[in-house]
Amino acid sequence: MSGDPLNKEKLLPYLADNIEGFSRLNNVKKFSIGQSNPTFLLETDMASYVIRRKPDGPLLKSAHAIDREYRVQKALYNTPVPVAKMLHYCDDTSILGVDFYIMEFVDGIVFEDPALPSLSKEDRTKVFSEINRGLSALHEVNIETVGLTDFGADGNYYERQISRWAKQYLSSETEKISEMSEMMKELPKKIPVDNSVRSLVHGDFRLDNMIFDRNEPKLLAIIDWEICTTGHPIADLASLIMQWEQKTGKIGRGLQGLKRSSLGIPSDEEFVKEYCKFRNIETIKEFNFYLAFSFFRMACVIQGVKKRALSGIAANPERSNRETLSVPKLAARAYELMKAL
């Protein structure tokens, strides 16, 4: 493609034919986020757009599922869930060599640090409430009404997830961690009986996958829907809270050790309580199971990072090596939570 990932010679006439009002292109910028699927800002005379495309080269069958990203966001656009407006999907590989889609550009800010150091105490509280609003709105969506009943597999979500991640962990295992061996054997036995609720599950719901208004603490769009599926809603909630247990800073991106109340940031319990209020449910039983599962899954993910780093194929070896240190700690925390059930 002559070094041009957007093949503008073909792309621009195509967009002019398929995007109403698409005018002269003034600037192209590659976003630093969205590395799994390269993402670009297109600035024209009349408007700005975002194009998200699959990467070049051979791809794993289930990876880089931009068709699913496009479909779920298009389905959610007229719901209370804040998402960008989808404009066009292209599966004609003669244009870029891969599938891609175009959406409206959401001009906002992405926060990476959940401590939100740039905001006032009052605005921090409002941001966390907005996070909760977006999450609960997602879990309240009627998947039949929006046409997504076939978006994920039927059956027990946690049985499928534990089995899948256990296989991935074993394929990347580099040393025996007793807690992981115990988790793979015992966690399926701890799945709560009352886990039949089926909703959309984002799968990677965290602060840096959200775009906020630049001038007020308002959530404008949830992004990066690549691994969205249907499953049990509390998986998203527990995953978010699991992240907050991590260390502060660019790698951990957690809230560990911070005096949250003085910062205007809710405790885990307060956040869960507000989530229940948003969804009009009384309480969440056996929450420790969902938290244990989140730590177990993250341990599996980071173990995969470690294996790739040791194999010399990690995208960022330095960061990968730092992250590997957390695998035993994640496993120990998962095991601790499981044993408390």
Side-chain angles (χ1 to χ4, degrees):
M1 205 171 288
S2 305
D4 181 0
L6 292 184
N7 194 17
K8 289 187 282 294
E9 186 177 341
K10 283 191 173 182
L11 177 65
L12 297 183
Y14 178 86
L15 295 182
D17 288 341
N18 289 278
I19 304 293
E20 184 178 353
F22 189 88
S23 58
R24 185 168 63 92
L25 181 67
N26 294 325
N27 188 41
V28 176
K29 175 186 175 183
K30 188 175 189 296
F31 287 105
S32 59
I33 59 173
Q35 292 301 311
S36 175
N37 294 307
T39 307
F40 302 83
L41 172 66
L42 305 181
E43 296 176 322
T44 74
D45 282 346
M46 301 299 292
S48 293
Y49 307 87
V50 172
I51 182 169
R52 194 150 157 87
R53 50 156 290 173
K54 288 187 177 183
D56 296 317
L59 305 175
L60 294 174
K61 184 178 179 181
S62 61
H64 312 285
I66 66 169
D67 56 330
R68 290 175 64 82
E69 282 191 350
Y70 182 86
R71 182 185 172 194
V72 69
Q73 289 175 95
K74 189 174 179 67
L76 291 174
Y77 186 68
N78 288 316
T79 73
V81 183
V83 291
K85 184 178 182 179
M86 301 295 106
L87 298 176
H88 182 72
Y89 189 89
C90 178
D91 58 6
D92 180 356
T93 56
S94 71
I95 309 299
L96 296 187
V98 293
D99 289 12
F100 66 90
Y101 69 85
I102 302 285
M103 58 184 169
E104 284 189 349
F105 172 58
V106 179
D107 187 9
I109 185 169
V110 175
F111 299 111
E112 294 190 354
D113 184 349
L116 302 170
S118 64
L119 300 185
S120 67
K121 180 178 179 179
E122 293 74 17
D123 281 352
R124 289 189 196 107
T125 301
K126 291 175 182 176
V127 164
F128 274 83
S129 189
E130 280 290 282
I131 294 170
N132 220 330
R133 178 182 68 85
L135 183 61
S136 56
L138 173 63
H139 295 159
E140 284 295 303
V141 169
N142 185 313
I143 58 177
E144 185 173 342
T145 301
V146 297
L148 294 174
T149 52
D150 63 339
F151 203 66
D154 292 325
N156 191 302
Y157 174 76
Y158 290 103
E159 284 181 359
R160 294 197 314 273
Q161 286 283 308
I162 294 169
S163 174
R164 172 192 170 193
W165 286 109
K167 288 175 184 175
Q168 291 205 20
Y169 176 81
L170 291 172
S171 71
S172 60
E173 189 177 43
T174 54
E175 60 183 315
K176 287 292 181 183
I177 299 176
S178 60
E179 290 92 343
M180 289 301 288
S181 300
E182 283 295 305
M183 291 286 291
M184 287 184 279
K185 183 172 66 175
E186 296 297 326
L187 195 57
K189 301 175 185 177
K190 303 287 188 178
I191 297 173
V193 174
D194 182 24
N195 72 97
S196 59
V197 178
R198 188 168 178 244
S199 74
L200 284 172
V201 176
H202 182 277
D204 197 15
F205 193 86
R206 62 190 195 203
L207 183 63
D208 53 320
N209 278 335
M210 304 174 209
I211 301 173
F212 284 83
D213 192 289
R214 295 183 184 277
N215 301 312
E216 60 177 319
K218 180 181 179 182
L219 179 59
L220 299 179
I222 301 166
I223 59 175
D224 204 352
W225 294 82
E226 183 180 353
I227 58 174
C228 177
T229 186
T230 54
H232 194 263
I234 309 307
D236 277 338
L237 177 63
S239 178
L240 191 62
I241 288 175
M242 178 274 297
Q243 185 69 49
W244 296 341
E245 279 199 27
Q246 308 311 307
K247 291 181 179 179
T248 58
K250 290 185 178 180
I251 300 300
R253 295 186 180 180
L255 296 168
Q256 188 183 114
L258 297 181
K259 294 182 179 180
R260 294 200 209 173
S261 59
S262 64
L263 295 173
I265 297 174
S267 66
D268 294 347
E269 294 76 13
E270 288 168 338
F271 191 86
V272 171
K273 186 176 180 180
E274 185 180 40
Y275 173 86
C276 291
K277 184 178 179 181
F278 272 127
R279 295 199 58 210
N280 196 28
I281 57 180
E282 188 174 338
T283 187
I284 299 171
K285 297 178 181 178
E286 299 178 89
F287 188 72
N288 270 6
F289 166 80
Y290 305 111
L291 203 51
F293 166 74
S294 294
F295 275 96
F296 168 74
R297 180 174 61 181
M298 183 53 67
C300 295
V301 170
I302 300 301
Q303 182 60 40
V305 173
K306 177 176 183 176
K307 181 64 177 290
R308 290 191 295 275
L310 292 174
S311 303
I313 58 174
N316 186 336
E318 181 185 352
R319 177 171 177 175
S320 298
N321 288 331
R322 291 201 302 269
E323 288 187 341
T324 61
L325 299 174
S326 63
V327 177
K329 290 183 179 179
L330 290 166
R333 179 63 173 139
Y335 183 73
E336 175 187 30
L337 288 161
M338 185 187 73
K339 293 297 287 183
L341 291 168

